């Protein structure tokens, strides 16, 4: 049993190592801890290179939603100089894809608001967001309900386009997610 867990963990660590090796300058990456997620944000690309979070049913399965409707994307107060990106995302042809979905934070008002920080957002083509990314969010919720806890690693790699008033927000070439299930020691 431990051998299987080690193999799964080793694969995950290898994937994360490869992803971070694509990001040229390690000093460019800033670690930002919010209530329900940790973002490794690229100051030069203005997107998260990696977002890590655990998901449990009590984060989204509450009787009354505590998150507010009408919240919009916002500057992360922990990194205001490089996350004031609202004007850059306005009028772009891309969706504002959250790495950790707001719907996964509905039982806590502050966590819900934080999910709209630019340290949790990347630009993504609309068809990719609607067809695949949202389905991954749904899969995370299903797995969290079934196994009581999952750990999610979501990241970006490469440079496909650039958006923004000053052309400073990278649209990644690839985005990915790994859903790790601690109970069975397996990733999907």
């Amino acid at each position: 049993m431990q051998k299987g867990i080690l193999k799964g963990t080793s694969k995950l660590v290898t994937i994360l190592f490869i992803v971070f090796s694509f990001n040229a300058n390690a000093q460019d990456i800033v670690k930002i801890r919010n209530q329900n997620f940790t973002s490794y944000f690229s100051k030069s690309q203005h997107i998260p290179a990696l977002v890590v979070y655990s998901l449990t049913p009590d984060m989204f399965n509450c009787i009354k939603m505590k998150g507010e409707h009408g919240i919009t994307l916002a500057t992360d107060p922990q990194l205001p100089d490089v996350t004031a990106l609202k004007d850059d995302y306005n009028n772009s042809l891309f969706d504002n894809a959250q790495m950790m979905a707001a719907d996964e934070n509905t039982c806590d008002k502050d966590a819900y608001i934080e999910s709209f920080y630019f340290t949790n957002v990347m630009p993504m083509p609309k068809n990719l967001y609607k067809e695949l990314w949202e389905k991954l969010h749904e899969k995370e919720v299903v797995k969290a309900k079934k196994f009581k806890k999952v750990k999610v690693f979501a990241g970006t790699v490469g440079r496909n386009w650039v958006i923004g008033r000053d052309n400073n927000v990278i649209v990644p070439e690839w985005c990915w997610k790994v859903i790790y299930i601690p109970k069975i020691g397996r990733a999907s």
Side-chain angles (χ1 to χ4, degrees):
M1 181 71 172
Q2 288 180 345
K3 187 176 182 181
I5 291 172
L6 182 60
K7 281 184 178 179
T9 304
S10 297
K11 289 177 188 173
L12 187 58
V13 169
T14 302
I15 289 170
L16 295 175
F17 176 75
I18 290 169
V19 168
F20 275 116
S21 67
F22 280 110
N23 292 308
N25 187 353
Q27 294 174 349
D28 176 56
I29 306 295
V30 178
K31 182 178 181 180
I32 303 293
R33 290 184 190 201
N34 283 297
Q35 186 169 322
N36 286 349
F37 69 90
T38 300
S39 176
Y40 296 84
F41 191 82
S42 170
K43 295 187 294 185
S44 65
Q45 296 183 352
H46 296 98
I47 58 171
L50 175 68
V51 173
V52 180
Y53 54 96
S54 292
L55 190 59
T56 59
D58 62 331
M59 295 167 68
F60 55 82
N61 199 18
C62 49
I63 295 170
K64 184 179 178 192
M65 182 178 157
K66 295 183 175 86
E68 298 176 9
H69 293 288
I71 302 292
T72 60
L73 297 175
T75 300
D76 192 319
Q78 297 178 71
L79 196 61
D81 295 346
V82 293
T83 62
L85 302 170
K86 194 172 204 91
D87 290 341
D88 295 307
Y89 276 79
N90 285 345
N91 300 319
S92 79
L93 299 175
F94 295 90
D95 269 333
N96 312 316
Q98 292 166 307
M99 306 296 257
M100 181 183 196
D103 291 344
E104 296 170 344
N105 295 286
T106 55
C107 294
D108 185 286
K109 181 180 176 183
D110 294 333
Y112 185 80
I113 291 169
E114 288 176 350
S115 71
F116 286 91
Y117 289 166
F118 283 106
T119 51
N120 184 45
V121 174
M122 68 175 159
M124 181 181 285
K126 292 183 185 296
N127 61 338
L128 179 61
Y129 182 71
K130 293 291 180 197
E131 292 174 16
L132 295 174
W133 201 251
E134 283 184 344
K135 288 181 181 166
L136 283 173
H137 289 310
E138 292 168 10
K139 184 176 182 179
E140 294 168 23
V141 168
V142 168
K143 298 278 185 190
K145 285 179 181 177
K146 180 177 180 180
F147 295 103
K148 305 298 181 228
K149 181 179 181 178
V150 296
K151 188 154 183 130
V152 181
F153 303 84
T156 59
V157 178
R159 175 187 177 131
N160 209 2
W161 293 287
V162 184
I163 65 168
R165 186 178 53 200
D166 297 325
N167 292 321
N168 64 349
V169 179
I170 301 301
V171 178
E173 190 167 355
W174 298 285
C175 54
W176 54 271
K177 275 197 181 195
V178 175
I179 304 168
Y180 178 72
I181 306 165
K183 189 173 188 177
I184 61 172
R186 198 178 84 192
S188 64

